[in-house]
Each structure stands twice: as structure tokens, then as C-alpha cells.
């Protein structure tokens, strides 16, 4: 048995072209054929489309998210602008990964092309969002709340009652009451339209403007910043001059000739440590006592800098970073002449107990015959030696309980006059020879006051005492105040946009057929809020003394103030709109009042 069904084709229709099933496939759907041809946008159209996408809120949020993600490598990977030594060490330890990071700009994230592109696109996107919204908001402030919708019963918060008061008197009282409660209110025909909560939009705009302010502050801080480090031994000082810095970095627009004149002297470094318990060696007091001045002829002042208490001076901040010890030595050459005397900073290799290494370079030494004989000493310093038999030259405690200095002596050419920059904390041994005595390298462990004599009468070095040193960071960040202002404004704006409810209220009063006045109150919020019905109930209660409920009101014509639906009577039966509006301004579109 077979069945054949023919489906008649409408006059003038043609079979759907293409498809593997041909005409048979066209019988599987009754959907009308769509033959839509999209117009060509052209260069201007594509530019307009791209601009609208860039200035949309979703793209702005996406760019903000990308900017946050892009900043993560800057905190995890060593940055050239902060510590170039660590960057070089990272490249040496991870050759392949270092090359990849270098090509991607991971060692200078915040100045890389891709990070700058995200930053600029976000900046443009926010401006494109804010400008039209600002003009729109200005228009809303200059305008009036829209007229009441035809059927107030459709709004989410609604109440009604009858009164013997005149409609004009009710509307006048409603307008006064709403203005007293800081509503923008005006009369439109047989209703009063009011609106409140404009600060919500203000908060929204303030939040977006604050984001731009923070982006500008970030740019200012990056382009005009300066930052340098300085290690100072007790008794020494620093002046804010480029030659005084141990290391210095600045933004591309910073002018080193504009460095503010100020300086300070490290009078004393004070440090105490926990002596017992599981936190033994933990610093309890970490304080640098300094004398500082500001200006070329500034008066000197005394103060103290701690780790979390920087010194704010001449628009810069001076931070205390770390400290260590500087053994004091006196070096005599073969002629018996003192060729070096002072404290030499040693760098800690053990951040907990301050086992330190350092070098002493004496380029002006000579032999007893008057020949040039530059001296170099490489050594270890421990503030608390474990004593003989301890088996190691490691410090046991960070305080100066048992200071010991161990030195190894060299002579020859230090290379300081070759014109090639040298690290002051390393000894270039290429052209140096180590002193030996009885066939063994000359090395000696010394206590304060002890002296190591050099062979062949080439001189001596005496360990005379120990001073402390402290390292400081001098930072000039011109965008910090602007960034703080933007951050505070962003929080205030966000709080306003989240907690302030924008809403509209309409009060309508019309004469009914039985001679009484029908009063209707309705409210609409921009977003759902449980507070709106309560506020409407409060407004109804405030208006009731000027529009008391008529005693002869028919049962079933009143609803409870603040009822959300406004379609249920006290008896629980549906009610219709008690009266059609007769606004002199013409009938209002039902959706007109819903655009809150």
C-alpha cells in the first residue's frame, strides 16, 4: 500500500533552490522563505559600528578585566624598571623562557605595546560612554517627569480611595507634600507627576569619571615619576642630586634638572630583636634617626623613619628599606702611611642573621720602595659569631653580640682606572694576586681592634669597629594624590548607584459619577525594590489628612495603601480603573511613565 500526498504550491511561488533533497526537502518546513539582503556598510558605517562597540559597557568591562589580567605578570615577573639585576639573573637561569618573556615585553609590562593598547582603548571607551550619558542626564535634569500613564493599576505599586475633597485641592496638597519630600513634582492635567533619586545617575557618572581620573593618575605617575635608592652608613648623608643615587630610574617626561633640593643625614640606626622563643631574631624596633633639610637654605629638623612610616619631604617620600653593617677598617701601605680609613658596607647574604660579604679596595697603596701596589680585601662579616669550634662562619643572631671579620688579601691592579664601570661590592681579580704565607693563602679572622699584617712589609689592615647602614628609597610619584581622589570618588559613586533608588510617583484625582473624588497613587522604580510599596504607603498616609476617605464610599472600591498589584480590593475581587484620565495635555502612552 502506498500513499501519495501532494501539497499545493501557492500561486507565484518558486521551489527553494539548492539543498541535497531538492523539492522534497522544501516540504519539511512551512516557514516562509527569507530573502534578506544586508546593505553594505562602507567605511563610514564600519567606523560607526566599531565606535559603538568600543563605547559599549560590555567592551569597557572586558577591557577593564584585560587590564587587570595584564597587570598580573608585572607583579610576578622581575621588571627592568624596578630591579634590572633580577631580570638579568632570571634570563641567565631560564634562557628559553627569558627569551619568550623578552619578546612579549614581560620584563617591562607597564610600558609594553600590548598593555598600552589595552590602557588607551579603555580610556577611549570610558570617555565614549560618559560623554553621551552626561548630556542625556543634563537633559533629564532640565526636563520634567513624564505624565501619568492611562492605567495606573498596571504599575507595580498602586493604591486608591475616594474622598469628598475637591480634585484641585487634592492635587495641590499632593504637589506640596511631594516637594516637601524632595521630589521634583509638577501638575500635568488631572495628575501630579513626581520623580526622585537622580543621585543614582550622578553616582553612576561619578564612578565612571573616577575610573578615568585613576587612569590619568596612573599615566601621570608613570610618565613623570622618579625613583632612586641610596645606602647610607651612620654619620653619612644624602643630597637630592642625580650623582648621589646608587641607582635611579625615571619616567620619560621627568626632567632631572627639576629635582627638589633636600637632603638628610643618618645619625643613628636603632634595631632590637627578639631574644628567645620561636620568633627569635625577629626585629622589634627598626628605626632610622635622621636630620633632614628642605630647600637650599632650609632649616634642619630631626625625625625618625620606620618601615611603614616614610618621610614626606618636598613632594617626595623617603622609605626605609633595609639595614646592615659596615665594618670600620684602617689600611696602611708599605710606607706605613694610612691610605684608607672608614666604614665599608657589607651586604647581607642571610637576611635573618646578617651574615654579610664585602670588599675593601685601596687603589692608592704603594710598597715600601714607593712602587704602585693596589690592595684589595675580600671578606665575611658576622655580627654574632658562633665561636671557635662552631664549624662555620655564619652568624647566629642579627645583633652585634660577637662581631667577627674575616679577610683575604690581594694585590696588583684593581682595574679601577680602566674606565670600565665596576661593582663596588665585588672584587675584580683578573689582574690581582693573592697574598700567601708559608705557601697558603693569607686569610685572618679578626675581632674589633685586631690587625692583619701583609707579607713582605706591604702594609696592614686593622678592624677598628662596626657601624650600621640603612638603605632608603626616594620616590616621587606625582599621580598618587590624584589616584587616591579617584579611588574615593569611585567608591562614593558606586555606593550611590547601588543604594539610591530612582523612582517616579503619580497622584491622580478626578471627579467620579457619584460626586466624590477618586484619588489614585502609583509608583514605578527603575529596578525592583521592596522599599517602593512602603514609600507609596507613607505618601498615601501623608496625603490622607488633605484627602480624607469618604465615609459613604462603596464597599470594594478601596485598596490598601501600598498594595503592590493594585488590582485586588479589600473583598478580594478584581477592580477596574475607577476613572479614565482627562488630562488636558492629551492622553499619555501607557509606556511613557514606565521609562524610569
Amino acid at each position: 500500500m502506498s500513499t501519495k500526498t501532494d501539497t499545493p504550491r501557492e500561486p507565484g511561488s518558486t521551489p527553494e533552490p539548492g539543498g541535497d533533497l531538492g523539492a522534497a526537502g522544501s516540504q519539511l518546513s512551512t516557514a516562509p522563505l527569507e530573502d534578506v539582503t544586508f546593505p553594505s556598510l562602507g567605511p563610514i558605517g564600519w567606523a560607526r559600528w566599531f565606535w559603538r562597540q568600543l563605547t559599549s559597557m560590555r567592551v569597557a568591562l572586558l577591557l577593564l578585566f584585560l587590564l587587570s589580567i595584564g597587570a598580573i605578570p608585572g607583579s610576578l615577573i622581575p621588571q627592568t624598571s624596578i630591579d634590572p639585576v633580577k631580570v638579568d639573573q632570571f634570563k641567565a637561569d631560564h634562557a628559553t623562557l627569558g627569551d619568550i618573556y623578552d619578546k612579549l615585553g614581560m620584563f617591562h609590562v607597564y610600558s609594553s605595546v600590548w598593555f598600552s593598547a589595552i590602557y588607551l582603548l579603555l580610556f577611549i571607551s570610558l570617555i565614549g560612554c560618559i560623554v553621551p550619558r552626561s548630556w542625556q542626564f543634563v537633559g533629564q535634569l532640565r526636563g520634567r517627569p513624564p505624565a501619568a500613564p492611562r492605567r495606573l493599576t498596571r504599575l507595580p505599586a498602586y493604591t486608591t480611595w475616594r474622598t469628598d475633597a475637591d480634585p484641585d485641592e487634592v492635587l495641590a496638597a499632593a504637589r506640596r507634600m511631594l516637594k516637601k519630600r524632595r521630589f521634583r513634582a509638577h501638575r500635568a492635567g488631572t495628575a501630579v507627576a513626581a520623580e526622585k533619586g537622580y543621585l543614582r545617575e550622578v553616582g553612576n557618572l561619578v564612578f565612571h569619571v573616577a575610573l578615568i581620573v585613576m587612569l590619568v593618575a596612573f599615566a601621570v605617575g608613570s610618565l613623570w615619576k622618579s625613583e632612586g635608592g641610596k645606602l647610607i652608613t651612620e654619620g653619612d648623608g644624602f643630597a637630592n642630586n642625580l650623582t648621589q643615587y646608587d641607582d635611579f630610574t625615571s619616567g620619560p617626561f621627568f626632567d632631572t634638572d627639576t629635582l627638589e633640593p633636600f637632603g638628610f643625614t643618618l645619625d643613628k640606626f636603632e634595631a632590637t630583636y627578639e631574644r628567645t622563643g620561636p620568633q627569635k631574631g625577629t626585629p622589634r624596633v627598626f628605626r632610622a634617626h635622621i636630620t633632614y633639610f628642605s630647600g637650599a637654605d632650609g632649616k634642619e629638623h630631626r625625625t625618625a623613619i620606620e618601615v611603614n612610616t616614610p618621610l614626606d619631604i618636598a613632594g617626595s617620600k623617603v622609605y626605609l628599606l633595609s639595614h646592615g653593617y659596615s665594618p670600620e677598617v684602617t689600611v696602611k701601605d708599605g710606607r706605613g702611611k694610612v691610605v684608607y680609613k672608614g666604614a665599608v658596607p657589607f651586604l647581607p647574604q642571610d637576611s635573618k642573621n646578617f651574615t654579610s660579604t664585602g670588599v675593601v679596595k685601596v687603589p692608592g697603596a704603594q710598597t715600601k720602595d714607593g712602587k704602585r701596589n693596589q690592595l684589595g680585601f675580600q671578606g665575611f662579616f658576622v655580627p654574632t659569631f658562633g665561636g671557635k669550634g662552631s664549624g662555620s662562619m655564619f652568624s647566629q643572631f642579627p645583633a652585634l653580640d660577637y662581631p667577627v671579620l674575616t679577610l683575604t688579601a690581594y694585590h696588583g691592579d684593581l682595574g679601577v682606572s680602566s674606565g670600565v664601570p665596576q661593582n663596588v661590592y665585588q672584587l675584580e681579580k683578573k689582574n690581582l694576586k693573592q697574598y700567601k704565607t708559608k705557601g697558603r693563602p693569607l686569610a685572618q679572622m679578626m675581632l674589633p681592634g685586631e690587625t692583619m699584617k701583609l707579607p713582605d712589609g706591604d702594609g696592614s689592615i686593622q678592624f677598628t669597629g662596626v657601624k650600621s647602614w640603612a638603605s632608603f628609597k626616594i620616590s616621587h610619584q606625582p599621580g598618587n594624590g590624584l589616584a587616591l581622589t579617584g579611588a574615593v570618588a569611585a567608591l562614593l559613586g558606586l555606593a550611590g548607584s547601588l543604594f539610591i533608588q530612582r523612582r517616579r510617583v503619580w497622584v491622580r484625582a478626578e471627579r467620579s459619577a457619584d460626586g466624590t473624588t477618586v484619588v489614585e497613587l502609583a509608583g514605578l522604580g527603575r529596578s525592583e525594590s521592596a522599599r517602593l510599596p512602603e514609600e507609596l504607603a507613607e505618601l498615601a498616609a501623608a496625603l490622607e489628612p488633605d484627602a480624607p476617605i469618604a465615609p459613604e464610599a462603596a464597599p470594594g472600591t478601596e485598596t490598601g495603601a501600598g498594595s503592590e498589584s493594585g488590582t485586588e480590593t479589600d473583598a478580594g475581587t478584581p477592580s477596574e480603573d475607577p476613572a479614565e484620565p482627562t488630562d488636558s495635555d492629551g492622553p499619555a502612552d501607557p509606556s511613557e511613565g514606565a521609562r524610569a
Side-chain angles (χ1 to χ4, degrees):
M1 178 179 178
S2 63
T3 303
K4 180 179 180 181
T5 304
D6 292 333
T7 304
R9 187 181 302 132
E10 294 183 2
S13 64
T14 58
E16 181 182 0
D20 295 337
L21 298 180
S26 65
Q27 308 299 323
L28 298 178
S29 175
T30 59
L33 297 178
E34 294 185 4
D35 186 12
V36 180
T37 302
F38 292 96
S40 177
L41 292 178
I44 297 178
W46 279 110
R48 184 183 294 111
W49 177 86
F50 178 78
W51 175 255
R52 288 179 179 176
Q53 297 301 316
L54 180 61
T55 56
S56 64
M57 185 60 65
R58 60 180 178 272
V59 172
L61 292 175
L62 177 62
L63 291 173
L64 187 61
F65 177 74
L66 290 177
L67 193 70
S68 303
I69 296 296
I72 294 177
S75 59
L76 299 179
I77 301 174
Q79 299 295 292
T80 305
S81 60
I82 298 176
D83 196 339
V85 176
K86 285 188 177 180
V87 173
D88 295 338
Q89 186 64 39
F90 185 92
K91 291 180 179 180
D93 296 340
H94 310 86
T96 303
L97 189 60
D99 290 339
I100 296 175
Y101 281 177
D102 199 10
K103 292 179 181 179
L104 295 177
M106 291 299 180
F107 295 119
H108 49 91
V109 169
Y110 304 112
S111 60
S112 62
V113 175
W114 57 269
F115 190 87
S116 301
I118 297 174
Y119 176 86
L120 291 176
L121 286 175
L122 177 60
F123 193 84
I124 296 172
S125 178
L126 288 175
I127 293 178
C129 287
I130 291 175
V131 172
R133 289 172 66 104
S134 300
W135 285 115
Q136 182 181 4
F137 181 64
V138 170
Q140 292 177 358
L141 289 178
R142 297 177 61 183
R144 288 184 171 186
R150 181 176 297 275
R151 294 184 178 275
L152 295 178
T153 55
R154 296 179 179 178
L155 299 184
Y158 174 81
T159 185
T160 183
W161 71 90
R162 293 177 181 270
T163 181
D164 290 333
D166 185 74
D168 291 337
E169 295 177 356
V170 173
L171 293 177
R175 186 168 177 269
R176 290 193 303 270
M177 179 266 296
L178 290 170
K179 284 194 171 184
K180 186 177 180 181
R181 292 173 178 261
R182 297 189 301 277
F183 278 85
R184 292 180 60 205
H186 74 101
R187 180 170 175 175
T190 60
V192 173
E195 189 169 4
K196 189 178 183 180
Y198 284 93
L199 286 179
R200 177 187 179 91
E201 295 302 320
V202 173
N204 207 347
L205 291 174
V206 167
F207 174 75
H208 287 83
V209 171
L211 290 181
I212 293 181
V213 171
M214 287 190 290
L215 290 177
V216 171
F218 179 79
V220 171
S222 299
L223 297 175
W224 282 276
K225 73 174 182 179
S226 68
E227 189 173 271
K230 180 65 177 178
L231 186 149
I232 305 175
T233 301
E234 288 176 333
D236 294 340
F238 164 80
N240 192 31
N241 186 282
L242 191 59
T243 60
Q244 292 280 301
Y245 285 93
D246 295 333
D247 57 85
F248 185 84
T249 58
S250 62
F253 293 165
F254 181 81
D255 185 3
T256 55
D257 294 333
T258 61
L259 288 170
E260 294 292 335
F262 69 87
F264 59 92
T265 301
L266 178 61
D267 300 325
K268 178 184 177 183
F269 186 85
E270 180 184 2
T272 60
Y273 306 90
E274 186 68 34
R275 290 278 177 179
T276 58
Q279 294 186 342
K280 180 180 178 181
T282 302
R284 294 306 180 195
V285 176
F286 204 78
R287 185 182 299 122
H289 297 273
I290 68 168
T291 300
Y292 72 93
F293 67 90
S294 178
D297 300 319
K299 183 180 179 181
E300 291 188 343
H301 303 274
R302 295 181 181 272
T303 187
I305 303 177
E306 299 186 33
V307 173
N308 296 320
T309 310
L311 172 65
D312 194 345
I313 177 173
S316 299
K317 288 185 179 294
V318 181
Y319 297 89
L320 174 63
L321 298 183
S322 59
H323 98 102
Y325 295 103
S326 298
E328 293 182 280
V329 296
T330 299
V331 181
K332 295 181 180 180
D333 64 2
R335 301 168 299 170
K337 182 180 179 180
V338 176
V339 289
Y340 183 86
K341 183 177 182 180
V344 183
F346 275 45
L347 300 182
Q349 305 301 306
D350 172 14
S351 59
K352 182 178 180 181
N353 294 321
F354 292 96
T355 299
S356 307
T357 62
V359 298
V360 181
K361 299 180 181 181
V362 188
Q366 297 180 8
T367 63
K368 57 185 176 181
D369 299 330
K371 295 181 180 180
R372 174 180 161 183
N373 184 38
Q374 296 182 349
L375 301 177
F377 303 89
Q378 187 171 19
F380 282 88
F381 174 78
V382 291
T384 302
F385 181 50
K388 293 184 178 180
S390 61
S392 67
M393 188 59 185
F394 288 98
S395 178
Q396 307 298 311
F397 195 74
L400 289 173
D401 293 345
Y402 190 1
V404 172
L405 176 65
T406 299
L407 293 177
T408 303
Y410 297 83
H411 68 106
D413 185 5
L414 295 172
V416 294
S417 58
S418 63
V420 179
Q422 287 189 4
N423 190 330
V424 296
Y425 302 107
Q426 293 180 355
L427 192 64
E428 181 60 54
K429 303 177 183 177
K430 182 178 180 181
N431 298 316
L432 294 177
K433 292 182 180 180
Q434 189 173 7
Y435 278 109
K436 293 184 179 181
T437 175
K438 297 181 180 180
R440 295 181 180 181
L442 177 62
Q444 183 174 332
M445 184 182 297
M446 296 182 291
L447 297 175
E450 295 184 345
T451 302
M452 180 176 71
K453 295 186 177 296
L454 303 179
D456 303 326
D458 282 350
S460 64
I461 180 170
Q462 183 181 19
F463 177 27
T464 58
V466 182
K467 288 184 177 182
S468 293
W469 60 257
S471 64
F472 300 88
K473 181 177 75 172
I474 298 90
S475 177
H476 176 67
Q477 299 286 350
N480 284 349
L482 191 63
L484 178 61
T485 302
V488 173
L491 290 176
L492 294 177
L494 184 61
S497 63
L498 291 177
F499 297 109
I500 296 176
Q501 176 70 24
R502 187 175 177 184
R503 60 275 194 201
R504 288 172 178 164
V505 173
W506 293 273
V507 181
R508 176 178 287 154
E510 295 182 341
R511 186 74 68 182
S512 63
D514 60 0
T516 59
T517 299
V518 178
V519 181
E520 293 179 282
L521 265 76
L524 178 66
R526 182 167 182 175
S527 58
E528 294 184 3
S529 172
R531 181 71 180 85
L532 184 61
E534 297 177 6
E535 186 175 24
L536 193 71
E538 294 175 0
L539 295 177
L543 184 60
E544 189 174 353
D546 295 296
I549 299 175
E552 67 276 10
T557 60
E558 300 174 8
T559 62
S563 172
E564 287 191 24
S565 64
T567 59
E568 294 294 326
T569 64
D570 292 341
T573 59
S575 66
E576 296 295 335
D577 204 12
E580 291 296 329
T582 56
D583 296 350
S584 59
D585 295 340
D589 187 89
S591 63
E592 183 180 1
R595 294 192 295 269

